[in-house]
Structures are given as C-alpha cells and as structure tokens.
Amino acid sequence: MSDQATPPSLYAAREPIFPRRVSGPFRNFKWIILIVTLSIYYIVPWIRWDRGPDLPNQAVLLDLANRRFYFFWIDIWSHEFYFVAGLLIMAGLGLFLFTSALGRVWCGYACPQTVWTDLFILVERWIEGDRNARLRLHRQEKMDARKLRLRMTKWTVWLFISVATGGAWVFYFADAPTLLVNLFTGQAAAVAYITVAILTATTFVFGGFAREQICIYACPWPRIQGAMMDEDTLTVAYRPWRGEPRKHSEEVQAGEPMGDCIDCMACVNVCPVGIDIRDGQQMECITCALCIDACDDVMAKIGKPRGLIDYLALSDEKLERAGNAPRPIWKHIFRPRTLIYTALWGGVGVALLVALFIRADIEVTVAPVRNPTFVTMSDGSIRNTYDIRLRNKNNEERLFRIAVQGDPAVRIQLEGTPYGSVSVGADASHLQRVYVIAPPNSGPAEGDHTDLRFWIEDLTNGDRAYKDSNFTGKAINQ
C-alpha cells in the first residue's frame, strides 16, 4: 500500500490580540460607559432603602426565597411577573432599535463582555506595557523571572476583579452586608459559593483569555444583526474612494496620485477583534469606533481632514463618490424602521407604567370550597364556604372589613373571629375562611345558585376591592 499524503490541518491556533492604546472622543465615551456601568453593578446592592419594619432595606433585591422583587419604591410580587416580561421585551426592542440605527453599538460600548474585556486590557497594559511591549513579552519563549512576575501580577489582579464580579452578583439575591459576612465566615449557603466560583471562572477566562472569541464564535448576535440593519444604518466603515490607492499599491507605482490612507496600520493595531476595517464590513466588527479615533489622529498629524474612517451609511456612498455631501444623520436615524421600533418600545413602556400606577394596594382572591358545595343546617338554612386570600401591599399592618353584596337575606361569618374584619400584616398575605349563610326559604327564585360580590375595605384609608363569586344551593323552609 502506498503512503497517503497527510491532509492539511484545518485548525489554526489563535494568535492573541494586543490592542494599542488610543485616545479620542469615542475612546473617552467608552471609558465613561465603563465607569458608569461598573459603578452601577458593584454599588447598587449596597444602597439602602427604608421600607418599614420587617421588610428588607436593600434598594434592589431579588428575593427568590419569598418570590419578591424589590426595586427602590417598587415591589413586584410573583404573580406580577408580567412586569419583568415587559422589561425584557423593552430590552429586546431597544436592542433592535439601536442596531437598526447605529449598528452594533451595544456590542461596542455596553455589552458586559466588552466592558470587562476593556477593564482587563487596561490592567494588562498597566502592568505589561502597551502593544509592542506586550507582543515582545508574548513572543518571549523563555519564562524568566521578569515574565513570571508580570504574568502573576496581572493574573492576580484579574482574579481579584473576577471574584468581585461574582460576589457582586450574589449580593443582588440576599442582604448584601449579611451575605458578605457569611461568605467570609463560611456560613453562607452552598449555592452562594458555587455561584461566586462559576462567575469568577467565567469572568477570568472570558475577559482575560477568550476576549474577541466570545464575540466572534460564542455570541449569536453577529449573525442576527444582519436582519436588523439596512443600507441606511450608520456603522463604522472606511471611505475607499478617498483613501485609495495606497502608498505601495500598483496604481501608485504606475503614477496615479496616492489617496489619504498612508497604510500606517493604526486602525488595525487598535482594533480589539483584530480586523482591518479597510477590507469592508465584517461580522467580527463590534462598532467600537476605536479605529475612527486612531485614524483621525493620524489624519490630523499629516494635515488631512478627519473622517477617512467614520460612521457611514451605504446609501451615501454614491453621493460621496460623486463629490456631494451625505444625507444628514437625523435622516438615517429617523426612518420608518426605527420609528416603528421606537413606537413599539414606547408602547410597551407606557403600558407597564399604566399597569404599575393603577394596581391596587389590596388584592383579593375568592375560592369557593366545593367539597361539599353547600351544607344544609339543622334549621334549614344553607351555608357556603369560601377561602378568601387578602394581600396587603402596604408597608404597615392594616385592618380589612369583609362584606358580601347580593341577596340581602344572606349573612357572613368569619372563621376564628366574631368580628367582620381581619388584620393583615405589612406587605403580607392572609388566608381567611368565610361562611355565607342564607336563612330558610331565601334561596334564588330559579336555579340553584345566585351571584355574590365580596367587598374588601381597608379601614385605614377607605380603599376598596371586590371579587365576584356565587352562592350554591336553595334554602328550604322547616
């Protein structure tokens, strides 16, 4: 048998990307977003909010054990999950809106992967130096004392950030000061330690090593964004009609005048995903606009106008190639697609606000007990039994009166109390069994049931709520 040639490997080892430091308006804007988003993430669990006695005083708390969500003055109960669903819908529509108008601005500025990667790169640059120094250190095969010291220092700082990230996440699900003490004293629940460990590991690996690989291979959004964008979408792009031909191209060597691009590679060296924006639109591009800052800086140094790389729309290419001015930015942003997304986003937001402000502080459910459906008393009267659940959403204990409206002959009796009212604790619910009794010969004229309405009145402020039910059985004359 003749030897067969070994097929070439289809696997290419990843070459780490070391972005060069750049300054400019877009980089400064990214720093502002990084500081704001990280501050919100790390600080919010520690903000206190007084809700009264026996209630958590953490401003933002996802109390899964008691199935409650606290957000400053807003309390969301488990049966009100539609508020959370509405916020998720708004987040999705907002992502569609921004992508349609400005491309992958979410990915380039506010995505957690981008924010934490920027933070890790900042630490790496602070410890190991800028791009060239980091490249030399990476290509140095020998692990001498200096390389080991720099690596260990960098990884230690990364690990500290990762632990803080995982710890901050669990603080949203329990009282932050108490949980912090329990974590250090070994008294926290196992799920807390597991969650911190998992988030520490993912943050360390994703922000320190995987970086652009998460954006390119793991995240589905680069493949979905095409459906959200069209030729009027503003996105980061290169103006080849102005930059070409380049210095070493055949056209320049043949005598054609050189374009504005001097092939300095600044745009490539600052790119966090390692692409060349001059090759056109690419799936990997996260629209961070750092290449704009780098190119504008070079253009200023050689006396050329800025904007060789800029936020552009494909629909303006013909106008600019002909020497005309592009359409105003507002015409690209305010177009039918973005207006539809804005209307849908605003509609969901208004609906949530209306639902939030019209919801009552009293909630009541009435469940007739149907085993048996009714009881005939010794005097011929008929008794129906109901389980009424009262939910008091106020931050103090309230007294509620229970009354029934319907047949004027019926009377109501509360189990466990001779009174017609019941006390419900602050921000709590109470299940009360209620008996409705119809005297002999007072049932409905026709059929075997009559409609009833239970009224619940807050004796503190007079607020009322009701729930409809029915009375079953016909009382008989003894």
Side-chain angles (χ1 to χ4, degrees):
M1 179 184 292
S2 60
D3 294 336
Q4 295 181 350
T6 303
S9 174
L10 299 179
Y11 171 77
R14 170 180 177 261
E15 183 69 22
I17 297 172
F18 300 99
R20 180 174 67 82
R21 182 180 180 274
V22 64
S23 60
F26 292 105
R27 176 66 268 183
N28 293 337
F29 185 52
K30 281 172 65 66
W31 286 134
I32 293 173
I33 292 180
L34 181 145
I35 293 171
V36 171
T37 52
L38 290 180
S39 298
I40 291 173
Y41 178 75
Y42 288 118
I43 294 175
V44 164
W46 300 94
I47 299 176
R48 302 294 96 184
W49 191 268
D50 185 13
R51 296 185 177 88
D54 302 323
L55 290 174
N57 65 345
Q58 188 162 308
V60 178
L61 177 65
L62 298 171
D63 189 357
L64 297 182
N66 296 308
R67 295 178 294 178
R68 296 284 297 280
F69 173 34
Y70 300 94
F71 185 79
F72 293 92
W73 63 91
I74 300 173
D75 298 352
I76 304 298
W77 296 68
S78 59
H79 66 284
E80 296 175 324
F81 191 78
Y82 55 84
F83 285 109
V84 179
L87 290 175
L88 293 176
I89 293 173
M90 289 185 67
L93 290 174
L95 188 59
F96 297 163
L97 170 62
F98 281 104
T99 303
S100 177
L102 298 170
R104 291 177 65 186
V105 288
W106 161 258
C107 301
Y109 295 90
C111 174
Q113 175 65 21
T114 297
V115 171
W116 264 272
T117 297
D118 273 356
L119 180 60
F120 276 45
I121 290 176
L122 177 65
V123 171
E124 183 177 78
R125 185 182 296 123
W126 170 58
I127 295 173
E128 297 181 351
D130 205 359
R131 170 181 164 82
N132 291 337
R134 304 201 311 274
L135 274 173
R136 288 193 299 269
L137 191 67
H138 170 69
R139 293 169 181 171
Q140 176 184 321
E141 296 183 1
K142 181 181 178 181
M143 180 63 75
D144 57 13
R146 177 180 176 274
K147 183 173 182 178
L148 179 62
R149 174 176 56 83
L150 294 177
R151 285 283 192 265
M152 295 303 297
T153 303
K154 178 181 69 174
W155 292 341
T156 300
V157 178
W158 282 0
L159 185 61
F160 175 80
I161 295 173
S162 302
V163 173
T165 301
W169 178 259
V170 298
F171 291 151
Y172 283 90
F173 297 87
D175 182 67
T178 304
L179 180 57
L180 179 63
V181 173
N182 291 341
L183 285 172
F184 279 99
T185 57
Q187 299 176 1
V191 66
Y193 292 106
I194 294 172
T195 302
V196 172
I198 291 175
L199 290 178
T200 296
T202 54
T203 304
F204 188 81
V205 173
F206 290 178
F209 301 97
R211 293 184 179 175
E212 80 285 349
Q213 304 293 295
I214 299 298
C215 303
I216 297 173
Y217 300 111
C219 180
W221 189 240
R223 294 154 182 82
I224 300 174
Q225 66 172 339
M228 303 291 108
M229 299 170 62
D230 55 33
E231 62 181 7
D232 284 316
T233 299
L234 292 170
T235 188
V236 175
Y238 168 68
R239 287 186 167 98
W241 55 91
R242 175 183 152 186
E244 303 296 324
R246 302 180 204 172
K247 181 177 181 179
H248 301 293
S249 64
E250 295 179 358
E251 293 86 348
V252 171
Q253 293 177 0
E256 292 188 24
M258 188 175 73
D260 288 352
C261 179
I262 62 174
D263 219 9
C264 64
M265 301 296 288
C267 57
V268 178
N269 292 337
V270 301
C271 180
V273 295
I275 65 171
D276 189 341
I277 193 64
R278 297 171 298 177
D279 293 338
Q281 271 298 303
Q282 296 155 74
M283 181 191 71
E284 296 85 353
C285 179
I286 61 172
T287 321
C288 65
L290 296 182
C291 54
I292 298 179
D293 284 339
C295 187
D296 286 351
D297 182 58
V298 173
M299 291 296 105
K301 291 178 180 178
I302 64 175
K304 298 287 185 179
R306 69 161 302 278
L308 180 59
I309 300 175
D310 209 347
Y311 272 98
L312 307 174
L314 292 178
S315 59
D316 287 334
E317 180 177 349
K318 292 182 179 180
L319 292 174
E320 293 199 25
R321 284 185 180 274
N324 300 319
R327 290 195 302 163
I329 291 179
W330 70 267
K331 288 189 176 180
H332 290 291
I333 295 178
F334 298 102
R335 61 186 197 274
R337 172 177 286 193
T338 59
L339 293 177
I340 291 174
Y341 286 143
T342 303
L344 292 173
W345 184 86
V348 175
V350 170
L352 289 178
L353 287 175
V354 171
L356 182 64
F357 284 109
I358 67 172
R359 66 175 185 170
D361 290 333
I362 309 170
E363 286 193 359
V364 55
T365 59
V366 177
V369 176
R370 294 310 188 194
N371 187 21
T373 55
F374 64 90
V375 175
T376 303
M377 311 296 286
S378 59
D379 61 353
S381 59
I382 298 295
R383 187 182 75 182
N384 279 202
T385 305
Y386 304 85
D387 284 335
I388 298 182
R389 182 173 294 278
L390 303 175
R391 181 173 284 113
N392 174 23
K393 294 184 177 181
N394 297 284
N395 293 336
E396 60 183 5
E397 185 177 3
R398 294 290 176 92
L399 191 64
F400 294 96
R401 176 189 293 143
I402 303 176
V404 64
Q405 177 185 347
D407 191 332
V410 300
R411 61 185 178 89
I412 189 170
Q413 179 181 341
L414 276 60
E415 186 178 75
T417 175
Y419 307 104
S421 58
V422 62
S423 179
V424 182
D427 215 31
S429 61
H430 174 76
L431 183 63
Q432 177 65 48
R433 175 151 291 192
V434 174
Y435 302 109
V436 176
I437 303 170
N441 203 27
S442 62
E446 296 181 3
D448 60 353
H449 73 274
T450 186
D451 293 332
L452 293 178
R453 171 168 292 182
F454 288 92
W455 280 97
I456 312 299
E457 181 182 1
D458 186 342
L459 297 180
T460 302
N461 58 16
D463 286 350
R464 304 179 74 194
Y466 68 87
K467 185 66 71 172
D468 291 326
S469 186
N470 58 68
F471 186 90
T472 303
K474 180 177 176 63
I476 59 175
N477 189 16
Q478 291 288 330

